Amino acid sequence: MTTPDEPLDLAAVDALAADLGDAGFTVEGVEALWESGTAGAATHPGAALRRGHRVPALRVLDAIGADHADHADRRRLAVLVRAFVLGMPVASADLAAALPRTGIERAVRLGLVRASADRLVPTADLRPYAFTDRLGTGNWWIASDPGELATGGPLPERYVLGVGGASTTLSGLMLQRPVGTSFDLGTGCGIQAMHAARFSDRVIASDISERALRYARLNARLNAVDGIEFRLGSLYEPLGADRVDRIVSNPPFVITPRAHGVPEYEYRDGGMVGDGIVEAVVRGAAERLAAGGIAQLLGNWEYRRAGAPLDGLERIADWASRAGLEYWIVERERQDPGEYAETWIRDGGTRPGTPAFEALHSAWLDDFADRGVDAVGFGYVLLRRPADGAAPSLARTERLHGPLGDTTGGLAAHLEACLAASDLVAALDDDELRDLRVAVAEDVTEERHHWPGAEAPTVILLRQGGGFGRVVDAGTGLAALVGAADGDLPLGVLVDAIAHLLEVDAGDLWTELAAATRELVAGGLLRPVAD
């Protein structure tokens, strides 16, 4: 294990932070810039950029640049957006005015731009980022390599990704209870390490790419995030013999053919066959977590040909259980091999309809066919090392392929509450569970379906408005229990009363409802009420 020692000009980074702040280079500031140019426009510039098109944005920026009477602050912000969000060359004088403390020489030294005649060509993507967590709202700037929009072609294999959809998903899932030491495996641009630092005394962030670590160090300094130690290395090697309280990882989980001519993107390809990188991260967590420690990661898992002993979700659960870990795994999506290949070939900047795309598509399909893969699942993985001497008690797998519920503020609070509730009911036998008082969560609604003219409903659905947006097909007894659950009476009393109303045996009804009730509590639809 080594630590990259390429010097970072700290004074230049601090000057850059001051310049970006003075220019109003924030998510809110950029959005206001777009709003100022949308009068009469058919396409919102920000929305077009999110779809990968920059013409509407350029029209707004061109209008600002042409209007010399426009406010100097707007012109300064427009230059920064043109250069570092759109990846377009800018005049040296304009960027010098936009970054007066940093200056052109230091911007070049930081790897942000390179000189070309009287213009400066951006060599990094640098954009504002906003978030909300338990500690409040935050605004950062995140530097990474320029994307396809700026380069106009396929990405280089040593590409360092900025904040993408997977990044925000994982940061939104990250538990926010304070811990001692966290480990960000495969830190990339450093975004997860920075989020972890808000709830950790110490963070160790690792990557196999020195280029990625340089970006991560730059971003941490740029945003005054302290307490992160950056280490070079693969998987858990950078930890040495250390154990940590939390592991967070957006690993390079994309399943990539090990074939000639297929790009091996460092940011997404772990260099192993199939879903081997996810298996390595899951199994390895057992030896790196302290007792009670939790790992959270994203991943893909393969579904093998019909007749395989385990399906995709069962395979990853098996990796965890064989390592002695508790687990909660949520599959959010499943794709067939062709759809999966198309997604990731496009992600690398190779466009459909080209010979290069078709060659890569064939390589992916050949690989899946050779290994008997019928589908690929994607989802969220939470692992926990049991307390010393304790047997694993958390073992949940779920397929939740529908839309999420309201995730304002992220899923972390929902996960935290569900984890605590799951632990609570796991410790109770069915007789003890009868004494538990629960209340229906505020976001749960009931939906009933009737045949025309029928008195009784044919289907009763319980819908969760937040969290994972679970939908539970409830029978009459369970629906009645949820409807009566206001926290005043124990479950046993409620079930006995419902049995009397339905004219069924109370013991039989409790046998039917006990397991379902545990699931509703663990899933957050019913919330335990303290005595």
Side-chain angles (χ1 to χ4, degrees):
M1 180 188 67
T2 59
T3 301
D5 56 3
E6 185 177 358
L8 184 66
D9 188 336
L10 302 183
V13 179
D14 295 343
L16 177 63
D19 282 336
L20 297 176
D22 287 350
F25 192 47
T26 63
V27 170
E28 184 179 355
V30 173
E31 190 61 30
L33 198 69
W34 300 144
E35 293 294 341
S36 71
T38 57
T43 302
H44 189 283
L49 278 177
R50 287 187 285 274
R51 296 193 301 270
H53 304 295
R54 60 187 177 191
V55 170
L58 282 171
R59 291 167 69 90
V60 173
L61 300 181
D62 287 344
I64 293 172
D67 185 358
H68 297 292
D70 209 331
H71 197 280
D73 287 344
R74 271 168 48 86
R75 295 202 304 274
R76 182 179 180 184
L77 179 58
V79 169
L80 294 176
V81 171
R82 182 186 292 271
F84 299 121
V85 177
L86 273 61
M88 303 288 289
V90 294
S92 300
D94 288 344
L95 191 63
L99 299 176
R101 292 180 179 84
T102 310
I104 300 304
E105 182 180 340
R106 292 204 289 193
V108 171
R109 202 158 60 241
L110 288 174
L112 302 179
V113 293
R114 61 176 174 81
S116 177
D118 62 340
R119 303 184 73 75
L120 294 168
V121 178
T123 52
D125 184 285
L126 175 64
R127 62 183 65 208
Y129 168 77
F131 63 91
T132 302
D133 60 22
R134 186 174 58 81
L135 298 181
T137 58
N139 291 277
W140 289 336
W141 301 287
I142 304 297
S144 63
D145 279 332
E148 179 191 356
L149 189 66
T151 63
L155 302 175
E157 294 187 29
R158 301 297 174 258
Y159 178 74
V160 178
L161 182 68
V163 178
S167 302
T168 55
T169 295
L170 184 57
S171 63
L173 287 166
M174 194 185 301
L175 300 182
Q176 297 172 11
R177 65 178 75 163
V179 297
T181 301
S182 291
F183 176 51
D184 178 14
L185 188 162
T187 193
C189 70
I191 186 65
Q192 305 304 334
M194 291 165 60
H195 277 292
R198 291 172 62 83
F199 304 98
S200 309
D201 296 333
R202 175 190 181 214
V203 176
I204 300 168
S206 73
D207 207 285
I208 62 169
S209 165
E210 292 200 36
R211 183 176 182 81
L213 289 174
R214 178 169 172 78
Y215 271 120
R217 291 165 57 221
L218 168 64
N219 288 327
R221 179 72 183 199
L222 187 61
N223 296 288
V225 178
D226 298 322
I228 304 176
E229 179 183 342
F230 297 100
R231 298 181 183 179
L232 184 68
S234 177
L235 292 171
Y236 295 101
E237 176 209 3
L239 281 181
D242 290 349
R243 290 187 182 270
V244 297
D245 305 295
R246 177 173 296 155
I247 295 169
V248 59
S249 182
N250 180 12
F253 58 75
V254 176
I255 297 166
T256 306
R258 307 265 71 89
H260 177 72
V262 178
E264 297 181 357
Y265 294 114
E266 279 187 340
Y267 76 94
R268 71 182 205 192
D269 177 10
M272 297 185 183
V273 173
D275 50 18
I277 187 70
V278 177
E279 180 178 1
V281 174
V282 169
R283 290 183 183 273
E287 296 301 317
R288 302 305 181 186
L289 285 170
I294 287 176
Q296 291 180 271
L297 59 137
L298 305 180
N300 279 155
W301 38 88
E302 294 181 338
Y303 284 79
R304 302 290 171 82
R305 190 162 291 143
L310 299 174
D311 73 14
L313 200 52
E314 291 169 341
R315 288 177 67 244
I316 189 169
D318 186 61
W319 301 337
S321 63
R322 286 178 181 273
L325 293 168
E326 299 177 297
Y327 58 87
W328 181 4
I329 306 164
V330 179
E331 183 177 271
R332 293 295 302 155
E333 184 179 7
R334 191 179 344 177
Q335 293 183 310
D336 67 43
E339 184 183 14
Y340 183 86
E342 292 163 14
T343 296
W344 292 109
I345 296 168
R346 285 196 302 266
D347 178 79
T350 302
R351 300 184 179 182
T354 63
F357 187 97
E358 293 179 355
L360 290 173
H361 202 186
S362 292
W364 246 280
L365 294 181
D366 287 344
D367 175 62
F368 284 135
D370 290 345
R371 294 186 300 103
V373 176
D374 290 336
V376 180
F378 165 80
Y380 318 146
V381 181
L382 184 148
L383 308 168
R384 184 172 63 185
R385 183 180 174 189
D388 289 338
S393 61
L394 177 68
R396 291 179 62 84
T397 58
E398 301 182 88
R399 288 185 175 91
L400 299 173
H401 291 185
L404 290 171
D406 180 7
T407 57
T408 303
L411 284 167
H414 174 75
L415 272 178
E416 195 83 61
C418 288
L419 196 57
S422 179
D423 288 341
L424 174 64
V425 295
L428 303 175
D429 62 27
D430 281 359
D431 287 339
E432 293 168 329
L433 186 64
R434 286 177 58 87
D435 295 328
L436 183 67
R437 291 185 295 121
V438 299
V440 62
E442 295 84 356
D443 63 345
V444 174
T445 57
E446 184 184 278
E447 180 180 308
R448 293 181 175 236
H449 296 257
H450 294 73
W451 289 112
E455 186 172 323
T458 55
V459 178
I460 304 174
L461 300 178
L462 302 175
R463 291 190 177 275
Q464 185 178 50
F468 289 114
R470 292 177 176 83
V471 180
V472 177
D473 189 351
T476 303
L478 186 60
L481 176 60
V482 172
D486 60 6
D488 288 339
L489 297 174
L491 282 168
V493 173
L494 293 178
V495 171
D496 289 348
I498 292 168
H500 179 73
L501 289 173
L502 297 178
E503 298 181 343
V504 299
D505 182 79
D508 291 343
L509 184 62
W510 177 241
T511 299
E512 175 189 334
L513 296 184
T517 302
R518 291 179 185 275
E519 282 298 307
L520 292 184
V521 173
L525 286 84
L526 291 176
R527 295 180 178 170
V529 175
D531 292 330

